[in-house]
Coordinates of all heavy atoms in Angstrom, one line a residue:
S70 N -12.1 16.5 6.8 CA -12.9 17.6 6.2 C -12.7 18.9 7.1 O -12.3 18.8 8.2 CB -14.4 17.2 6.2 OG -14.9 17.2 7.6
Q71 N -13.0 20.0 6.5 CA -12.8 21.3 7.2 C -13.7 21.3 8.5 O -13.3 21.7 9.5 CB -13.2 22.5 6.3 CG -12.1 22.8 5.3 CD -10.9 23.4 5.8 OE1 -10.8 23.8 7.0 NE2 -9.8 23.5 5.0
S72 N -14.9 20.7 8.3 CA -15.8 20.8 9.5 C -15.4 19.8 10.6 O -15.5 20.1 11.7 CB -17.3 20.4 9.0 OG -17.3 19.1 8.5
R73 N -14.9 18.7 10.2 CA -14.3 17.7 11.2 C -13.2 18.3 11.9 O -13.1 18.2 13.2 CB -13.9 16.4 10.5 CG -13.3 15.4 11.5 CD -12.9 14.1 10.9 NE -12.4 13.2 11.9 CZ -11.7 12.1 11.6 NH1 -11.4 11.8 10.4 NH2 -11.3 11.3 12.6
L74 N -12.3 19.0 11.2 CA -11.1 19.6 11.8 C -11.5 20.8 12.7 O -11.1 20.9 13.9 CB -10.1 20.1 10.8 CG -8.8 20.7 11.4 CD1 -8.0 19.7 12.2 CD2 -8.0 21.3 10.3
T75 N -12.4 21.6 12.3 CA -12.9 22.7 13.0 C -13.5 22.2 14.4 O -13.3 22.8 15.4 CB -13.9 23.5 12.2 OG1 -13.3 24.1 11.1 CG2 -14.5 24.7 13.1
H76 N -14.4 21.2 14.3 CA -15.0 20.7 15.5 C -13.9 20.2 16.5 O -14.0 20.5 17.7 CB -15.9 19.5 15.1 CG -16.6 18.8 16.3 ND1 -17.6 19.4 17.0 CD2 -16.3 17.7 16.8 CE1 -17.9 18.6 18.0 NE2 -17.2 17.5 17.9
A77 N -13.0 19.4 16.0 CA -11.9 18.9 16.8 C -11.1 20.0 17.4 O -10.8 20.0 18.7 CB -11.0 17.9 16.1
V78 N -10.7 21.0 16.6 CA -9.8 22.0 17.1 C -10.6 22.9 18.1 O -10.0 23.4 19.1 CB -9.2 22.9 16.0 CG1 -8.6 24.2 16.5 CG2 -8.2 22.0 15.2
T79 N -11.9 23.1 17.9 CA -12.7 23.8 18.9 C -12.6 23.2 20.3 O -12.4 23.8 21.3 CB -14.1 24.0 18.4 OG1 -14.1 24.7 17.2 CG2 -15.0 24.7 19.4
S80 N -12.8 21.8 20.3 CA -12.7 21.1 21.5 C -11.3 21.1 22.1 O -11.2 21.3 23.3 CB -13.1 19.6 21.3 OG -13.0 18.9 22.4
M81 N -10.3 21.1 21.3 CA -8.9 21.1 21.8 C -8.6 22.5 22.3 O -7.8 22.6 23.2 CB -8.0 20.7 20.7 CG -8.2 19.2 20.3 SD -7.3 18.7 18.8 CE -5.7 18.5 19.5
E82 N -9.1 23.5 21.7 CA -8.9 24.9 22.3 C -9.5 25.0 23.7 O -8.8 25.6 24.6 CB -9.7 25.9 21.4 CG -8.9 26.5 20.3 CD -9.6 27.6 19.5 OE1 -10.8 27.3 19.1 OE2 -9.0 28.7 19.4
R83 N -10.7 24.4 23.9 CA -11.3 24.5 25.2 C -10.4 23.8 26.3 O -10.4 24.2 27.5 CB -12.7 23.8 25.2 CG -13.7 24.7 24.6 CD -15.1 24.2 24.9 NE -15.4 22.9 24.3 CZ -16.0 22.8 23.1 NH1 -16.3 23.8 22.4 NH2 -16.2 21.6 22.6
R84 N -9.6 22.8 25.8 CA -8.7 22.1 26.7 C -7.4 22.8 26.9 O -6.5 22.3 27.7 CB -8.5 20.7 26.2 CG -9.7 19.8 26.2 CD -9.4 18.5 25.6 NE -10.6 17.7 25.4 CZ -10.7 16.4 25.5 NH1 -9.6 15.7 25.7 NH2 -11.8 15.8 25.3
G85 N -7.2 23.8 26.1 CA -5.9 24.6 26.2 C -4.8 23.9 25.4 O -3.6 24.3 25.6
W86 N -5.1 23.0 24.5 CA -4.0 22.3 23.7 C -3.6 23.1 22.5 O -2.5 22.9 22.0 CB -4.5 20.9 23.3 CG -4.7 20.0 24.5 CD1 -4.3 20.2 25.8 CD2 -5.4 18.8 24.5 NE1 -4.7 19.1 26.6 CE2 -5.4 18.3 25.8 CE3 -6.1 18.1 23.5 CZ2 -6.0 17.0 26.1 CZ3 -6.7 16.9 23.9 CH2 -6.6 16.4 25.2
V87 N -4.5 23.8 21.9 CA -4.3 24.6 20.7 C -4.9 26.0 20.7 O -5.8 26.2 21.5 CB -4.8 23.9 19.4 CG1 -4.1 22.5 19.2 CG2 -6.3 23.7 19.4
T88 N -4.4 26.9 19.9 CA -5.1 28.2 19.7 C -5.3 28.3 18.2 O -4.7 27.7 17.4 CB -4.2 29.3 20.2 OG1 -2.9 29.3 19.5 CG2 -3.9 29.2 21.7
R89 N -6.2 29.2 17.9 CA -6.5 29.6 16.5 C -6.4 31.1 16.4 O -6.9 31.8 17.2 CB -7.9 29.2 16.1 CG -7.9 27.8 15.6 CD -9.2 27.4 15.0 NE -10.2 27.4 16.1 CZ -11.5 27.0 16.0 NH1 -11.9 26.5 14.9 NH2 -12.3 27.0 17.0
D90 N -5.7 31.6 15.4 CA -5.6 33.0 15.1 C -5.6 33.2 13.6 O -5.3 32.3 12.8 CB -4.3 33.5 15.6 CG -4.2 33.5 17.1 OD1 -5.0 34.2 17.8 OD2 -3.3 32.9 17.7
R91 N -6.0 34.4 13.2 CA -6.0 34.8 11.8 C -4.6 34.8 11.3 O -3.7 35.1 12.0 CB -6.6 36.2 11.6 CG -8.1 36.3 11.8 CD -8.8 36.1 10.4 NE -10.2 35.9 10.7 CZ -10.9 35.0 10.0 NH1 -10.3 34.2 9.1 NH2 -12.2 34.8 10.3
C92 N -4.4 34.4 10.0 CA -3.1 34.4 9.4 C -2.7 35.8 9.2 O -3.4 36.6 8.5 CB -3.2 33.6 8.1 SG -1.6 33.5 7.2
P93 N -1.5 36.2 9.7 CA -1.1 37.6 9.6 C -0.8 38.0 8.2 O -0.9 39.2 7.8 CB 0.1 37.8 10.5 CG 0.6 36.4 10.7 CD -0.6 35.5 10.5
S94 N -0.4 37.1 7.3 CA 0.0 37.4 6.0 C -1.1 37.8 5.0 O -1.0 38.6 4.1 CB 0.9 36.3 5.3 OG 0.1 35.1 5.2
D95 N -2.3 37.1 5.2 CA -3.4 37.4 4.4 C -4.7 37.7 5.1 O -5.7 38.2 4.5 CB -3.7 36.3 3.3 CG -4.1 35.0 4.0 OD1 -4.6 35.0 5.1 OD2 -3.9 34.0 3.3
G96 N -4.8 37.5 6.4 CA -6.0 37.8 7.2 C -7.2 36.9 6.9 O -8.2 37.1 7.5
R97 N -7.1 36.1 5.9 CA -8.3 35.2 5.6 C -8.2 33.9 6.2 O -9.2 33.4 6.7 CB -8.4 35.0 4.0 CG -8.7 36.3 3.3 CD -8.7 36.1 1.8 NE -7.4 35.6 1.4 CZ -7.2 34.9 0.3 NH1 -8.1 34.6 -0.5 NH2 -6.0 34.5 0.0
G98 N -7.0 33.2 6.2 CA -6.9 31.9 6.7 C -6.8 31.9 8.2 O -6.5 32.9 8.8
L99 N -7.0 30.7 8.8 CA -6.8 30.6 10.2 C -5.6 29.7 10.5 O -5.3 28.7 9.7 CB -8.0 29.9 10.9 CG -9.2 30.8 11.0 CD1 -10.4 29.9 11.6 CD2 -9.0 31.9 12.0
L100 N -4.8 30.0 11.5 CA -3.7 29.2 11.9 C -4.0 28.5 13.2 O -4.6 29.1 14.1 CB -2.4 30.1 12.2 CG -1.9 30.9 11.0 CD1 -0.8 31.9 11.4 CD2 -1.4 30.0 9.9
A101 N -3.7 27.2 13.2 CA -3.8 26.4 14.4 C -2.4 26.3 15.0 O -1.4 26.0 14.3 CB -4.4 25.1 14.2
A102 N -2.2 26.6 16.3 CA -0.9 26.5 16.9 C -1.0 25.6 18.2 O -2.0 25.7 19.0 CB -0.5 27.9 17.3
L103 N 0.0 24.8 18.3 CA 0.1 23.9 19.5 C 0.6 24.8 20.7 O 1.6 25.5 20.6 CB 1.1 22.8 19.2 CG 1.3 21.7 20.3 CD1 0.0 20.9 20.5 CD2 2.4 20.8 19.8
T104 N -0.1 24.7 21.8 CA 0.3 25.4 23.0 C 1.3 24.6 23.8 O 1.5 23.4 23.5 CB -0.9 25.7 23.9 OG1 -1.5 24.4 24.4 CG2 -2.0 26.5 23.2
A105 N 1.9 25.2 24.8 CA 2.8 24.5 25.7 C 2.0 23.4 26.4 O 2.6 22.3 26.6 CB 3.4 25.5 26.7
E106 N 0.8 23.6 26.8 CA 0.0 22.6 27.4 C -0.3 21.4 26.4 O -0.3 20.3 26.8 CB -1.4 23.2 27.9 CG -2.3 22.2 28.5 CD -1.8 21.5 29.8 OE1 -0.8 22.1 30.4 OE2 -2.3 20.5 30.2
G107 N -0.6 21.8 25.2 CA -0.8 20.7 24.2 C 0.5 19.9 23.9 O 0.4 18.7 23.8
M108 N 1.6 20.5 23.9 CA 2.9 19.8 23.8 C 3.1 18.9 25.0 O 3.6 17.8 24.8 CB 4.0 20.8 23.5 CG 5.3 20.1 23.1 SD 5.1 19.3 21.5 CE 6.6 18.4 21.5
R109 N 2.9 19.4 26.2 CA 3.0 18.6 27.4 C 2.1 17.4 27.3 O 2.5 16.3 27.6 CB 2.7 19.5 28.6 CG 3.0 18.7 29.9 CD 2.5 19.5 31.2 NE 1.0 19.6 31.2 CZ 0.1 18.6 31.4 NH1 0.5 17.4 31.6 NH2 -1.2 18.9 31.4
T110 N 0.9 17.6 26.9 CA -0.1 16.5 26.8 C 0.5 15.4 25.8 O 0.4 14.2 26.1 CB -1.4 17.0 26.4 OG1 -1.9 17.9 27.4 CG2 -2.4 15.9 26.2
L111 N 1.0 15.9 24.7 CA 1.5 15.0 23.7 C 2.7 14.2 24.2 O 2.8 13.0 24.1 CB 1.9 15.7 22.4 CG 2.5 14.9 21.3 CD1 1.5 13.8 20.8 CD2 2.9 15.8 20.1
V112 N 3.6 14.9 24.9 CA 4.8 14.3 25.4 C 4.4 13.2 26.5 O 5.0 12.1 26.5 CB 5.8 15.3 26.0 CG1 6.9 14.7 26.8 CG2 6.4 16.1 24.9
E113 N 3.4 13.5 27.3 CA 3.0 12.6 28.3 C 2.2 11.4 27.7 O 2.3 10.3 28.2 CB 2.1 13.3 29.3 CG 2.8 14.2 30.2 CD 1.9 15.0 31.2 OE1 0.7 14.8 31.1 OE2 2.4 15.8 32.0
T114 N 1.5 11.6 26.6 CA 0.7 10.6 26.0 C 1.4 9.7 25.0 O 1.1 8.5 24.9 CB -0.5 11.3 25.2 OG1 -1.2 12.1 26.2 CG2 -1.5 10.3 24.6
A115 N 2.4 10.2 24.4 CA 3.1 9.5 23.3 C 3.7 8.1 23.8 O 3.5 7.1 23.1 CB 4.2 10.3 22.7
P116 N 4.4 8.0 24.9 CA 4.9 6.7 25.3 C 3.9 5.6 25.4 O 4.1 4.5 24.9 CB 5.6 7.0 26.7 CG 5.9 8.4 26.6 CD 4.8 9.0 25.9
G117 N 2.8 5.8 26.0 CA 1.7 4.8 26.1 C 1.1 4.5 24.7 O 0.8 3.3 24.4
H118 N 1.0 5.5 23.9 CA 0.5 5.2 22.5 C 1.4 4.4 21.7 O 1.0 3.4 21.0 CB 0.2 6.6 21.8 CG -0.4 6.4 20.5 ND1 -1.7 5.9 20.3 CD2 0.1 6.7 19.3 CE1 -1.9 5.8 19.0 NE2 -0.8 6.3 18.3
V119 N 2.7 4.8 21.8 CA 3.7 4.0 21.0 C 3.8 2.6 21.5 O 3.9 1.6 20.7 CB 5.1 4.7 21.1 CG1 6.2 3.8 20.5 CG2 5.1 6.0 20.4
E120 N 3.7 2.4 22.8 CA 3.7 1.0 23.4 C 2.5 0.2 22.9 O 2.6 -1.0 22.5 CB 3.7 1.0 24.9 CG 3.8 -0.3 25.5 CD 5.0 -1.2 25.0 OE1 6.1 -0.7 24.8 OE2 4.8 -2.4 24.8
E121 N 1.3 0.9 22.8 CA 0.1 0.2 22.2 C 0.3 -0.2 20.8 O 0.0 -1.3 20.4 CB -1.1 1.1 22.4 CG -2.4 0.5 22.1 CD -2.9 -0.5 23.2 OE1 -2.3 -0.5 24.3 OE2 -3.9 -1.2 23.0
V122 N 0.9 0.7 20.0 CA 1.1 0.4 18.6 C 2.1 -0.7 18.5 O 2.0 -1.6 17.7 CB 1.7 1.7 17.8 CG1 2.2 1.3 16.4 CG2 0.6 2.8 17.7
R123 N 3.2 -0.6 19.2 CA 4.2 -1.7 19.2 C 3.6 -3.0 19.6 O 3.8 -4.0 18.9 CB 5.4 -1.3 20.2 CG 6.5 -2.4 20.2 CD 7.7 -1.9 20.9 NE 8.3 -0.8 20.2 CZ 9.0 -0.9 19.0 NH1 9.0 -2.0 18.4 NH2 9.5 0.2 18.4
S124 N 2.9 -3.1 20.7 CA 2.4 -4.4 21.1 C 1.3 -5.0 20.2 O 1.2 -6.2 20.0 CB 1.8 -4.3 22.6 OG 0.7 -3.5 22.6
R125 N 0.5 -4.1 19.6 CA -0.6 -4.5 18.7 C -0.1 -4.8 17.3 O -0.8 -5.7 16.6 CB -1.7 -3.4 18.6 CG -2.4 -3.1 19.9 CD -3.3 -4.2 20.4 NE -4.0 -3.8 21.6 CZ -5.0 -4.4 22.0 NH1 -5.5 -5.4 21.4 NH2 -5.6 -4.0 23.2
V126 N 1.0 -4.2 16.9 CA 1.4 -4.4 15.5 C 2.8 -5.0 15.4 O 3.1 -6.1 15.0 CB 1.3 -3.1 14.7 CG1 1.8 -3.3 13.2 CG2 -0.1 -2.6 14.7
F127 N 3.8 -4.1 15.8 CA 5.2 -4.4 15.4 C 5.8 -5.6 16.2 O 6.7 -6.3 15.7 CB 6.0 -3.2 15.5 CG 5.6 -2.2 14.5 CD1 4.9 -1.1 14.8 CD2 6.0 -2.4 13.2 CE1 4.4 -0.2 13.9 CE2 5.5 -1.5 12.2 CZ 4.8 -0.4 12.6
D128 N 5.4 -5.8 17.4 CA 5.9 -7.0 18.2 C 5.4 -8.3 17.6 O 6.0 -9.4 17.9 CB 5.4 -6.9 19.6 CG 6.2 -5.8 20.4 OD1 7.1 -5.3 19.9 OD2 5.7 -5.6 21.6
R129 N 4.4 -8.3 16.7 CA 3.9 -9.5 16.1 C 4.5 -9.8 14.7 O 4.3 -10.8 14.2 CB 2.4 -9.3 15.9 CG 1.6 -9.1 17.2 CD 0.2 -8.7 16.9 NE -0.5 -8.5 18.2 CZ -1.0 -9.4 18.9 NH1 -1.0 -10.7 18.6 NH2 -1.6 -9.1 20.1
L130 N 5.3 -8.8 14.3 CA 5.9 -9.0 12.9 C 7.4 -9.2 13.0 O 8.1 -8.7 13.9 CB 5.6 -7.7 12.1 CG 4.2 -7.3 11.9 CD1 4.1 -6.0 11.2 CD2 3.4 -8.4 11.2
T131 N 7.9 -9.9 12.0 CA 9.4 -10.0 11.8 C 9.9 -8.7 11.1 O 9.1 -8.0 10.5 CB 9.7 -11.2 10.9 OG1 9.2 -11.0 9.6 CG2 9.2 -12.5 11.5
P132 N 11.2 -8.5 11.2 CA 11.7 -7.3 10.5 C 11.3 -7.3 9.0 O 11.0 -6.3 8.4 CB 13.2 -7.4 10.7 CG 13.3 -8.1 12.0 CD 12.2 -9.1 12.0
E133 N 11.3 -8.5 8.4 CA 11.0 -8.6 7.0 C 9.5 -8.3 6.7 O 9.2 -7.6 5.7 CB 11.3 -10.1 6.5 CG 12.7 -10.5 6.5 CD 13.3 -10.9 7.8 OE1 12.4 -11.2 8.8 OE2 14.5 -10.8 8.0
Q134 N 8.7 -8.7 7.7 CA 7.2 -8.4 7.5 C 7.0 -6.9 7.7 O 6.1 -6.3 7.1 CB 6.4 -9.2 8.5 CG 6.3 -10.6 8.2 CD 5.7 -11.5 9.3 OE1 5.9 -11.2 10.5 NE2 4.9 -12.5 8.9
V135 N 7.8 -6.2 8.6 CA 7.6 -4.8 8.7 C 8.0 -4.1 7.4 O 7.3 -3.2 6.9 CB 8.5 -4.2 9.9 CG1 8.6 -2.7 9.9 CG2 8.1 -4.8 11.2
T136 N 9.0 -4.5 6.7 CA 9.4 -4.0 5.4 C 8.3 -4.2 4.4 O 7.9 -3.3 3.7 CB 10.7 -4.6 5.0 OG1 11.8 -4.3 5.9 CG2 11.2 -4.1 3.6
Q137 N 7.8 -5.4 4.4 CA 6.7 -5.8 3.5 C 5.4 -4.9 3.8 O 4.8 -4.4 2.8 CB 6.3 -7.3 3.6 CG 7.4 -8.2 3.1 CD 7.2 -9.6 3.4 OE1 6.3 -9.9 4.3 NE2 7.9 -10.5 2.7
L138 N 5.1 -4.8 5.0 CA 3.9 -3.9 5.4 C 4.1 -2.5 4.9 O 3.2 -2.0 4.3 CB 3.7 -4.0 6.9 CG 2.6 -3.1 7.4 CD1 1.2 -3.6 6.9 CD2 2.6 -3.1 9.0
K139 N 5.3 -2.0 5.1 CA 5.6 -0.6 4.6 C 5.4 -0.5 3.1 O 4.8 0.4 2.5 CB 7.0 -0.2 5.0 CG 7.4 1.2 4.5 CD 8.8 1.5 4.9 CE 9.4 2.7 4.3 NZ 9.7 2.5 2.9
E140 N 6.0 -1.5 2.4 CA 6.0 -1.5 0.9 C 4.5 -1.6 0.4 O 4.1 -1.0 -0.5 CB 6.8 -2.6 0.4 CG 8.3 -2.3 0.5 CD 9.2 -3.5 0.2 OE1 8.7 -4.6 -0.1 OE2 10.5 -3.3 0.2
I141 N 3.8 -2.5 1.0 CA 2.4 -2.8 0.6 C 1.5 -1.5 0.9 O 0.8 -1.1 0.0 CB 1.8 -4.0 1.4 CG1 2.4 -5.3 0.9 CG2 0.3 -4.0 1.2 CD1 2.2 -6.5 1.7
C142 N 1.7 -0.9 2.0 CA 0.9 0.3 2.3 C 1.3 1.4 1.4 O 0.4 2.2 0.9 CB 1.1 0.7 3.8 SG 0.3 -0.4 4.9
E143 N 2.6 1.6 1.1 CA 3.0 2.6 0.1 C 2.4 2.4 -1.3 O 2.0 3.4 -1.9 CB 4.5 2.7 0.1 CG 5.1 3.4 1.3 CD 6.6 3.3 1.4 OE1 7.2 2.6 0.6 OE2 7.1 4.0 2.3
L144 N 2.3 1.2 -1.7 CA 1.8 0.9 -3.0 C 0.3 1.2 -3.0 O -0.2 1.8 -4.0 CB 1.9 -0.6 -3.3 CG 3.3 -1.0 -3.9 CD1 3.4 -2.6 -4.0 CD2 3.5 -0.4 -5.2
I145 N -0.4 0.8 -2.0 CA -1.9 1.2 -1.9 C -2.0 2.7 -1.9 O -2.9 3.2 -2.6 CB -2.5 0.5 -0.6 CG1 -2.5 -1.0 -0.8 CG2 -3.9 1.0 -0.4 CD1 -2.9 -1.8 0.4
Q146 N -1.2 3.4 -1.1 CA -1.3 4.8 -1.0 C -1.1 5.5 -2.4 O -1.8 6.4 -2.7 CB -0.3 5.4 0.0 CG -0.7 5.2 1.4 CD 0.4 5.6 2.4 OE1 1.3 6.4 2.1 NE2 0.5 5.0 3.6

Side-chain angles (χ1 to χ4, degrees):
S70 67
Q71 288 286 349
S72 62
R73 179 181 183 194
L74 181 64
T75 298
H76 176 76
V78 169
T79 298
S80 176
M81 295 171 77
E82 271 186 305
R83 285 193 293 267
R84 296 176 187 212
W86 296 344
V87 297
T88 59
R89 275 185 293 190
D90 293 300
R91 288 265 169 224
C92 181
S94 63
D95 66 20
R97 293 177 302 158
L99 285 175
L100 298 175
L103 184 64
T104 65
E106 178 65 17
M108 189 64 190
R109 184 190 64 71
T110 299
L111 179 60
V112 167
E113 290 176 358
T114 304
H118 181 66
V119 170
E120 183 55 38
E121 189 76 9
V122 170
R123 179 167 296 290
S124 69
R125 299 287 184 163
V126 179
F127 295 102
D128 288 350
R129 299 170 182 277
L130 302 176
T131 65
E133 295 80 19
Q134 289 171 322
V135 171
T136 299
Q137 291 169 344
L138 178 63
K139 177 182 171 286
E140 290 170 353
I141 290 167
C142 290
E143 287 174 348
L144 280 171
I145 293 171
Q146 287 173 24

